[in-house]
Amino acid sequence: MYLLRKCEWSCLLLLSIMILSCEESSSPEVEKTAGGLIRSELIHNYSAEEMGQLLAMLGIPDPPSVQTSFRAVKLIYYSPDVEGEMQRLSGAIIFPVDDLEHPVLSMQHGTVTRRDEVASVDPLNSSAGITALLTASLGYITLVPDYAGYGDSNDHHPYMHGELLANSVIDMIRAAQRYCDEEDLKRNDQLFLGGYSEGGYATLATQQLMETDYPDEFNLTAVAPMAGPYDLQATARLVLEGSEYTWPAYIGFMFVAYDQIYGLKNLDQVFVAPYNEQITAMYSGNLSFFEINNQLPVGIENLIRSEFRESFLEGTEHVYSDKFIENSLLNLQPNAPLRFIHGTQDATVPYSVAVATVNALVDGGAENVELIGIPGATHETAGMPAVMEMLAWFSTFDSQFGTNLIPI
């Protein structure tokens, strides 16, 4: 799920002449533990003039006045895979080059299927990377984790798997902290999380894991998940109840990823022929989301076996349903203030999913949580308005975070 569709950025081809540096630094001895920084590689140095021109070309509403230069760097770090073994992941850190103290923002990207469509390859390859250029220009040290399966990782991508996505984000933050210490990048005590679509789901999963398992290590300032399918079971039901779904590539990704993560080997029971045999190969990291989507039918009955669909909707299917329920994010008791942002006309991840998620959290006792709807916006058009809403909210917090909470 893209924050901003790549077709909107055809003008970015003009920037292809940018030369990426291959400068690299590494430590001679890297401890093979979660968040261990293996090495860093310079992606690009942006002058103040170049950054200003770039923001203007991207159509950023009221682009900020840029006064300093910026640097984009790839970080390669360790994070556990599904078996708990350490794997190498990558991500980008983009920051102002100055002597000021800056807050840290981890920006989680939405659905992509090509391995190179991530910010660590080029910030302009990724909607979250483009957003990171904006947030860096506003003074944030911005991180964009690639997740497993992208950038330097050749593993399967754990699509919509809460713990694996959260670990990749948390370990990126740890690696970035080490990088900042090594490079003497000054940080204040603020740590923000944001993300759109899959990135919204990954953001909420990260908050849950941080506050549950690492309360003494991380102190979140504020969290803004945007347009995510936080209740995976409910989202799947809404999709399978319909006769058509415009973006069948999302359906395929969910089932293929869970089949791989849990070793289910059950796709023959989910997809009709010939997709049952073809669909796994589509998500090998070589095809774009649109290339996959164009190979799949929008008619649900032409993609999903009727027997599977009926049992799923009746509640008698448990192979995938139980895993979707296990990875839904409805039991969080947030400590940091939490603001969901979602387009009210979103048909890809229905707005009702966000409403039900917030209601479930509030019913469970959550206090620092609310939902902001982007009126009339779809999944494809809500991206930039949601980001601007997120940034406006983040700007209300100062170093004494917790005094600016916005009540429900």
Side-chain angles (χ1 to χ4, degrees):
M1 302 177 189
Y2 286 86
L3 173 56
L4 296 172
R5 297 293 173 187
K6 292 189 71 178
C7 62
E8 298 177 13
W9 305 108
S10 59
C11 64
L12 297 181
L13 294 175
L14 298 175
L15 300 174
S16 61
I17 59 173
M18 288 182 174
I19 299 175
L20 303 182
S21 171
C22 61
E23 294 180 17
E24 173 180 317
S25 66
S26 61
S27 301
E29 296 182 6
V30 179
E31 189 176 0
K32 200 170 184 178
T33 57
L37 178 59
I38 300 170
R39 68 176 185 271
S40 61
E41 300 175 2
L42 179 63
I43 301 172
H44 192 73
N45 282 316
Y46 299 90
S47 67
E49 181 180 9
E50 183 180 18
M51 181 66 86
Q53 292 173 346
L54 184 59
L55 294 176
M57 286 184 63
L58 293 174
I60 302 297
D62 300 319
S65 177
V66 178
Q67 304 297 327
T68 188
S69 61
F70 299 83
R71 187 168 297 154
V73 174
K74 175 164 71 173
L75 302 183
I76 302 173
Y77 62 96
Y78 287 118
S79 189
D81 63 15
V82 67
E83 302 294 336
E85 299 295 325
M86 289 300 153
Q87 61 181 329
R88 295 184 177 213
L89 301 185
S90 54
I93 178 172
I94 305 175
F95 54 91
V97 180
D98 56 30
D99 293 325
L100 302 177
E101 291 188 347
H102 296 280
V104 175
L105 164 62
S106 184
M107 194 72 200
Q108 284 60 254
H109 71 75
T111 301
V112 296
T113 55
R114 278 180 57 107
R115 187 165 287 112
D116 60 356
E117 290 181 328
V118 288
S120 74
V121 175
D122 183 346
L124 298 177
N125 281 8
S126 161
S127 56
I130 292 169
T131 299
L133 295 174
L134 169 62
T135 57
S137 74
L138 294 171
Y140 292 90
I141 296 173
T142 306
L143 319 179
V144 189
D146 292 340
Y147 315 140
Y150 303 118
D152 280 40
S153 170
N154 292 317
D155 203 356
H156 299 302
H157 174 57
Y159 190 58
M160 299 298 179
H161 186 278
E163 183 177 4
L164 292 175
L165 287 174
N167 277 330
S168 68
V169 176
I170 289 171
D171 292 333
M172 174 71 183
I173 294 172
R174 288 169 171 154
Q177 290 172 336
R178 290 174 170 84
Y179 175 81
C180 289
D181 289 341
E182 291 175 2
E183 299 297 321
D184 196 27
L185 297 182
K186 297 180 175 63
R187 317 183 294 283
N188 62 24
D189 61 354
Q190 294 180 304
L191 174 60
F192 298 91
L193 300 177
Y196 195 88
S197 198
E198 182 187 9
Y201 173 86
T203 293
L204 190 61
T206 300
Q207 180 178 14
Q208 177 172 277
L209 189 59
M210 273 187 175
E211 295 184 340
T212 301
D213 290 12
Y214 309 107
D216 297 328
E217 182 178 357
F218 299 101
N219 202 356
L220 288 169
T221 305
V223 180
M226 298 173 280
Y230 319 105
D231 186 339
L232 299 179
Q233 178 73 354
T235 304
R237 286 188 62 86
L238 287 170
V239 170
L240 294 182
E241 284 172 349
S243 60
E244 292 187 349
Y245 188 65
T246 305
W247 305 107
Y250 293 133
I251 302 175
F253 211 173
M254 275 292 296
F255 285 104
V256 168
Y258 273 58
D259 204 69
Q260 293 170 334
I261 293 166
Y262 294 105
L264 301 177
K265 301 184 185 303
N266 206 52
L267 294 180
D268 284 338
Q269 304 303 312
V270 179
F271 296 101
V272 302
Y275 306 108
N276 58 327
E277 296 181 353
Q278 299 173 352
I279 200 159
T280 297
M282 294 181 186
Y283 297 93
S284 62
N286 299 315
L287 298 178
S288 73
F289 178 87
F290 296 107
E291 288 173 326
I292 296 172
N293 204 71
N294 290 338
Q295 296 182 49
L296 298 174
V298 298
I300 297 297
E301 65 179 10
N302 297 323
L303 180 64
I304 303 295
R305 288 171 55 93
S306 59
E307 299 88 348
F308 178 87
R309 183 184 183 191
E310 290 171 5
S311 63
F312 191 97
L313 295 177
E314 290 171 356
T316 58
E317 193 283 324
H318 294 288
V319 176
Y320 294 93
S321 292
D322 289 354
K323 300 304 182 184
F324 292 167
I325 293 170
E326 177 184 325
N327 284 279
S328 292
L329 305 171
L330 303 177
N331 299 314
L332 174 66
Q333 293 297 307
N335 295 321
L338 172 61
R339 176 177 284 191
F340 294 86
I341 307 172
H342 211 111
T344 61
Q345 298 302 310
D346 193 332
T348 303
V349 181
Y351 181 69
S352 61
V353 172
V355 173
T357 299
V358 171
N359 288 340
L361 298 183
V362 172
D363 290 344
E367 296 180 354
N368 300 328
V369 58
E370 64 177 334
L371 170 62
I372 300 296
I374 306 296
T378 66
H379 200 74
E380 292 69 44
T381 63
M384 185 53 70
V387 167
M388 301 311 290
E389 175 68 34
M390 175 193 75
L391 292 173
W393 182 50
F394 284 174
S395 71
T396 65
F397 294 88
D398 56 29
S399 60
Q400 300 300 315
F401 80 94
T403 60
N404 298 65
L405 301 186
I406 301 175
I408 298 173

